[in-house]
Amino acid sequence: MRSRIFSAWRGALGFSLLAGLGLMACNRSGQGETSAGQGDTLSNAAKPAPLDTVKIKRLALQRDSLKADSIARKNGQLPGALLPGHRIVAFYGNIRSKGMGILGREPKDQMMRKFDKVLAEWQAADPSLPVMPALHSVTITAQGAAGADGKYRLMNSKSTIEETRAWAKQKNAILFLDVQVGLSDLEHELPKLTEYLKDPTIHLGIDPEFAMQTKGVRPGKKIGTYDAKDVNYAINFLARIVSENHLPPKILMVHRFTQGMLTNYKNIKLDPRVQVIMDMDGWGNPTLKKDSYKAYVEKQPVQYTGFKLFYEYDIKPKGSHLMTPQEVLTELNPKPLYVQYQ
């Protein structure tokens, strides 16, 4: 299936960044020898203007975006798009950390058995929509210590990323690489993940909670924020990877549980090469979680919706419990197509 999706995308959207560019001819204004002074002048004049590679790439991406828009309008979506034809169910965390989520809290085999049970519960709750398993790994993590450059974030080692990738492939699952920028920004952090995101099974998550540039404090002191322009940067970043590597659409998942975590959501510019999920990330009793979903996801829609469940924190408030798949599907509108367990 994955190879068929990949081939379909290549056929529908393949292109060359330099397509349509003609060869530049030198302007030769004379034959034979010239004096030394004239020779220098003519030599300089004969040099072709330097190529503006940034402009060339931008124009190529614009052409490709128009082609993608055309295909999406005709067929409803681009070949290989996972949404809305699946419900993604993800286990979140870091395989090296017991405290960040279920992904690293339990031994691998035990965790995977629990994952199988959860996947089966979701499939039974809605047999009409195939469940797509996902591992959601915090890959660039906000830190309490500033680090050498004072940016309060740390990227996982290559060995950790590759091991997590191997776990996902063993499970036939997609993989999300999640980014917490601290006092850095997406422009500096996302390029570090470029080579991994060339894999058609790897997608991206960004977490405004730990984006602290506008707050001017270290992570954990306040809840951070992203603006639409930050989300648009991530969308354009992924769209470029999709186009340049002839991939099926990527998914961008954005965490959210407060009003201030995302500003100017109406200015987010969607691109058919990137499917955007707004994920209600808060914990607490079911009433609070449902109210937050309605306020920050349902009432401020972007494209697709997600919902997060916390094994440890959702059960802490008095009289609370972990919501079941049936509860989520019957009590939330729209029904989330991405569900994450931490």
Side-chain angles (χ1 to χ4, degrees), residues 314-334:
D314 280 356
I315 63 174
K316 283 191 173 181
K318 186 176 180 180
S320 187
H321 66 278
L322 187 72
M323 292 177 69
T324 66
Q326 198 62 41
E327 284 180 285
V328 172
L329 292 175
T330 58
E331 298 178 24
L332 296 181
N333 178 46

Side-chain angles (χ1 to χ4, degrees), residues 86-212:
H86 299 80
R87 174 167 289 110
I88 299 168
V89 177
F91 265 21
Y92 171 99
N94 185 299
I95 66 171
R96 303 285 188 241
S97 170
K98 293 182 180 295
M100 293 182 68
I102 185 62
L103 192 56
R105 185 176 301 129
E106 300 176 3
K108 177 187 174 185
D109 290 344
Q110 179 178 320
M111 181 273 294
M112 288 296 190
R113 287 194 296 271
K114 178 177 286 189
F115 195 23
D116 284 337
K117 183 174 181 292
V118 168
L119 294 171
E121 289 172 352
W122 276 97
Q123 194 63 79
D126 183 7
S128 69
L129 202 60
V131 167
M132 169 67 70
L135 302 185
H136 196 116
S137 175
V138 186
T139 303
I140 298 177
T141 310
Q143 302 290 304
D149 61 0
K151 297 299 184 181
Y152 290 91
R153 52 83 184 94
L154 181 67
M155 182 168 168
N156 286 352
S157 67
K158 182 177 180 180
S159 62
T160 295
I161 297 172
E162 290 296 350
E163 185 174 351
T164 309
R165 187 185 202 173
W167 285 20
K169 290 190 181 298
Q170 290 167 14
K171 196 68 179 172
N172 199 26
I174 59 175
L175 174 63
F176 285 83
L177 303 181
D178 204 83
V179 176
Q180 302 172 353
V181 297
L183 281 173
S184 184
D185 54 39
L186 294 175
E187 287 86 345
H188 287 89
E189 300 307 313
L190 294 191
K192 299 175 183 177
L193 304 178
T194 298
E195 289 304 311
Y196 299 108
L197 288 165
K198 291 178 182 179
D199 183 331
T201 68
I202 295 181
H203 303 272
L204 179 66
I206 57 174
D207 197 341
E209 180 181 359
F210 302 101
M212 310 309 298

Side-chain angles (χ1 to χ4, degrees), residues 200-248:
T201 68
I202 295 181
H203 303 272
L204 179 66
I206 57 174
D207 197 341
E209 180 181 359
F210 302 101
M212 310 309 298
Q213 267 199 348
T214 61
K215 306 297 181 179
V217 297
R218 69 171 177 81
K221 289 290 187 181
K222 294 181 180 180
I223 295 174
T225 187
Y226 278 139
D227 186 73
K229 64 181 177 60
D230 300 300
V231 179
N232 287 338
Y233 174 83
I235 290 171
N236 292 334
F237 174 81
L238 288 174
R240 183 173 68 251
I241 291 176
V242 166
S243 292
E244 291 178 351
N245 297 279
H246 314 298
L247 301 175

